[in-house]
Amino acid sequence: MVRTGSAFRGLTLLRRHWLTLVVGAAVLAFVVPLCRRGIVLSDEGYLLLQALDMGDGKVLYRDMDAFVTPGIWILLAGVFSLLEPSVLSSRILALLGYLALTGVCYRIVAEQTSRAYGLATIAALAVFTVWAFPTWTFAFYSPFSVLFGLAALERLLAWRKTRRGRDLIWTGALLGLSISFKQNYGVLALLGTLVALLTIRFEARGPLGAALRGMFSDLTRVSAGLLVIGVPLISYFVYKGAFAALFDSLVLHPFEFMGKHDIPYLGLAELWKPDVLSGLERWTYGAIPLYRTFPPFLWVATTRVFERLHVVLYWLPPLVFALGLAAVLEPLRRRGPLDASLVVVLAVCGSIFLGVFPRADFNHLGNVYQPVIVAAAIVTQRLRKLLPAPRPAWMHVLATLGCLILALYAVVAGYWYQALLTGWNRKLERPRGGVLLAPFEAARIAVQMRFIEAQTRDGEAVLTVPDLAMLNFLTDRPVPSRYYNLYEHHISHDQGAGVVKGAEANHVRLAVTRYENFFSDRAGLRDYAPELTDYLHTHFSIIFTMVNRESIFLKRRKVPLPEHKRMSVLGD
């Protein structure tokens, strides 16, 4: 009897949630292959290595250089305490984060529109996941910050409906988590939340005093949630003696960094250029699958269809938010009620999207495109309700054109997806690898790892310049200083002297450098780190060069070359 009742309840639960189970299984089947593929030698490498070193007792900011809030490092350190450290095991976090993001986005859209729009949002997220590959499918701080910012939006919308105080506390806590994963995205989401709270309080058009008192109560609850996350986190770094370094890295340094590494937003005029996204523009504003797969037909390459779709992706967000504003203003023009929920969505999603500035390369655009997709689904539903019926012919033409463009993005994503799955099929056979790569990339990394292991002892530090810390992680070789990435904003303050000091203290015998400068750096390594480049020249000599000089291996000279005083040809 009990067993029959339990089975009946199980069947009832299955019938009630069958759609959730089917969609969840489809999302899982779609994203797992992407989470298993690709490797990012720069950002992913130093994140994994620093998280591993945190588990061994090092403290972020105090012992290791970083300019982003510590959320992802803490999660990764937790994963590595439970599982063997590897690139593949870190992707578990990416997978869980993606599933949570899909659920949050669906819930926001379905609650504001309908189940059909929610499912369309999941499909749009899947399409853009391929375009943004691998931004959303490796363990990185940006997707988690955006996830928690959108989760805060979901709770804020719930509070507008129910006025339960705990929903605002949850909103504050989720905003705190968003800030703890990437400070600028989280702060922008917080600013959008403040605008949203003002809108909700003035929605009823009641007495000003009552609205202000209510606003004060709202801010108190949101602040309580923020403190739940912020106080333990800050207390930990105070206890570890790292607060001063944390404040400098997270609050002061970003303003110095902002003016040096801004990348302009891609102009709409690029759409009509015959050589759109050519040269360095291709690497700056192009998706990774664009230059890692072959176009399916010759006419695709000659007409540069894929490149022009990139330009459209840059200008869809301004269009979405402009149409959303029109959908808010139109009922007011007719003296109708304010669509406060739409204002809330636009305020928070629009604020998070502003995180694309000042570095508006395609990677950073991909970081903040999730809220654009959410806003687009809700704005579309609102416009359909507002548009007159029967609709004029020109509206049908525009709607058909829009659907064709969206279908084209899906077709391109489908082509790229199968190309990634069939072309990236070589396993990186190392205990700390495990991911699938393109054969040439897997072979290249394997050669580099074997050479490092042959030339150094276990636990011996290797100097990787400027962004090859993944090689240290894969070969279990530490970096020689507190600087794991050697871009301008990390080491220009002392011209690379700190890296040199660490290398000498560890008597580094092997250095590996990437030949070309990072595409978006205005200043090369010689300009922002002359101490380091002089040190590499005088203390090391080339012993091995990869194909096309992509990577150069250097060994320590027995006797350093004599140092020469630097001169400025123009100045001196």
Side-chain angles (χ1 to χ4, degrees):
M1 190 75 168
V2 174
R3 290 178 182 175
T4 304
S6 300
F8 179 76
R9 283 194 296 273
L11 287 172
T12 303
L13 195 65
L14 187 62
R15 288 195 195 98
R16 188 180 303 167
H17 298 288
W18 70 269
L19 183 62
T20 302
L21 295 172
V22 169
V23 173
V27 171
L28 199 62
F30 161 77
V31 78
V32 165
L34 293 180
C35 287
R36 289 193 62 204
R37 281 167 170 79
I39 195 168
V40 184
L41 297 182
S42 53
D43 288 341
E44 186 176 21
Y46 89 86
L47 282 173
L48 299 187
L49 190 57
Q50 286 185 327
L52 191 61
D53 288 349
M54 279 180 67
D56 291 334
K58 287 189 177 181
V59 178
L60 203 62
Y61 314 116
R62 188 193 71 187
D63 306 321
M64 300 181 290
D65 173 68
F67 297 121
V68 178
T69 36
I72 192 65
W73 282 269
I74 295 170
L75 283 186
L76 283 169
V79 168
F80 291 158
S81 69
L82 299 172
L83 304 173
E84 284 294 317
S86 71
V87 182
L88 189 60
S89 63
S90 75
R91 300 293 173 85
I92 295 172
L93 276 183
L95 177 62
L96 294 176
Y98 186 87
L99 293 176
L101 173 75
T102 302
V104 167
C105 291
Y106 172 82
R107 186 174 177 84
I108 292 171
V109 174
E111 287 288 325
Q112 291 299 309
T113 56
S114 67
R115 181 181 291 179
Y117 279 95
L119 294 174
T121 300
I122 293 176
L125 286 170
V127 168
F128 197 79
T129 301
V130 180
W131 278 80
F133 179 82
T135 303
W136 295 0
T137 50
F138 78 98
F140 197 46
Y141 38 75
S142 296
F144 280 89
S145 181
V146 172
L147 163 64
F148 289 117
L150 289 173
L153 168 62
E154 190 276 330
R155 284 297 84 197
L156 185 62
L157 290 167
W159 172 79
R160 177 182 172 268
K161 184 186 296 185
T162 64
R163 288 300 198 273
R164 293 178 303 200
R166 66 174 180 268
D167 285 328
L168 276 187
I169 295 174
W170 271 110
T171 299
L174 290 164
L175 288 171
L177 286 171
S178 182
I179 293 170
S180 72
F181 277 83
K182 196 167 192 290
Q183 62 268 39
N184 62 325
Y185 293 175
V187 169
L188 287 168
L190 175 60
L191 293 176
T193 299
L194 296 180
V195 173
L197 284 172
L198 277 171
T199 302
I200 294 170
R201 277 297 167 187
F202 286 99
E203 176 184 9
R205 301 180 183 179
L208 178 62
L212 291 177
R213 286 192 297 273
M215 186 68 182
F216 179 79
S217 174
D218 301 340
L219 292 177
T220 301
R221 289 187 172 92
V222 171
S223 299
L226 283 165
L227 291 173
V228 166
I229 302 299
V231 169
L233 205 57
I234 293 173
S235 298
Y236 167 79
F237 287 105
V238 170
Y239 173 73
K240 291 292 185 178
F243 180 75
L246 175 148
F247 185 82
D248 180 72
S249 295
L250 303 185
V251 180
L252 301 180
H253 179 80
F255 291 99
E256 302 170 17
F257 163 66
M258 193 178 298
K260 295 181 179 180
H261 286 254
D262 56 305
I263 299 174
Y265 205 77
L266 189 61
L268 187 59
E270 295 286 325
L271 190 61
W272 295 279
K273 284 177 59 176
D275 59 343
V276 57
L277 298 194
S278 59
L280 286 179
E281 282 188 337
R282 188 177 184 84
W283 299 95
T284 305
Y285 298 110
I288 284 181
L290 177 69
Y291 46 82
R292 296 295 295 273
T293 59
F294 293 105
F297 307 107
L298 180 61
W299 66 266
V300 172
T302 54
T303 57
R304 306 185 82 85
V305 174
F306 288 5
E307 289 85 347
R308 296 181 202 284
L309 287 174
H310 283 72
V311 183
V312 175
L313 275 180
Y314 271 86
W315 288 92
L316 280 177
L319 178 63
V320 166
F321 293 119
L323 290 174
L325 183 61
V328 170
L329 295 177
E330 180 60 22
L332 296 179
R333 187 181 67 82
R334 300 175 185 173
R335 299 187 181 277
L338 174 69
D339 190 346
S341 60
L342 180 57
V343 175
V344 170
V345 169
L346 294 175
V348 177
C349 290
S351 296
I352 296 174
F353 178 74
L354 290 178
V356 72
F357 300 104
R359 291 172 64 80
D361 57 285
F362 194 81
N363 179 60
H364 285 79
L365 179 76
N367 284 343
V368 291
Y369 224 83
Q370 306 95 321
V372 175
I373 293 171
V374 168
I378 297 171
V379 167
T380 301
Q381 187 265 350
R382 294 297 199 273
L383 288 175
R384 288 190 65 189
K385 286 177 63 177
L386 288 172
L387 291 175
R391 298 184 179 96
W394 64 269
M395 287 187 181
H396 288 288
V397 171
L398 284 179
T400 302
L401 181 62
C403 290
L404 288 174
I405 292 173
L406 294 177
L408 186 54
Y409 280 109
V411 169
V412 174
Y415 172 73
W416 280 346
Y417 184 78
Q418 64 83 28
L420 290 171
L421 265 58
T422 56
W424 295 38
N425 55 12
R426 182 71 59 83
K427 188 176 181 181
L428 187 59
E429 298 285 358
R430 269 298 192 275
R432 291 189 176 180
V435 288
L436 301 174
L437 308 175
F440 75 92
E441 187 175 16
R444 187 188 72 218
I445 294 174
V447 167
Q448 294 181 83
M449 288 191 296
R450 284 197 295 269
F451 194 81
I452 290 171
E453 291 165 348
Q455 294 292 318
T456 57
R457 299 181 296 270
D458 289 346
E460 180 179 345
V462 175
L463 177 59
T464 47
V465 183
D467 58 352
L468 298 171
M470 180 61 83
L471 296 178
N472 298 82
F473 177 78
L474 292 171
T475 57
D476 196 12
R477 300 304 194 261
V479 296
S481 72
R482 69 187 303 269
Y483 301 100
Y484 289 58
N485 255 18
L486 309 183
Y487 294 145
E488 181 182 8
H489 61 285
H490 291 271
I491 64 173
S492 64
H493 65 281
D494 65 357
Q495 300 186 333
V499 181
V500 173
K501 184 178 179 181
E504 281 298 285
N506 286 276
H507 195 69
V508 167
R509 295 186 300 134
L510 182 69
V512 187
T513 178
R514 188 161 56 83
Y515 180 67
E516 293 184 355
N517 286 319
F518 186 53
F519 67 88
S520 63
D521 276 0
R522 295 171 184 165
L525 191 70
R526 292 181 183 275
D527 298 311
Y528 70 77
E531 295 275 347
L532 176 57
T533 52
D534 285 350
Y535 172 72
L536 288 171
H537 173 67
T538 58
H539 287 70
F540 292 82
S541 61
I542 296 175
I543 51 171
F544 179 73
T545 303
M546 294 293 290
V547 177
N548 295 326
R549 302 186 75 182
E550 183 174 321
S551 296
I552 303 173
F553 286 75
L554 307 103
K555 69 175 181 179
R556 180 181 284 272
R557 299 177 187 271
K558 292 182 179 179
V559 179
L561 296 177
E563 295 185 8
H564 296 283
K565 181 182 177 183
R566 278 179 164 265
M567 292 181 62
S568 168
V569 174
L570 296 178
D572 298 333

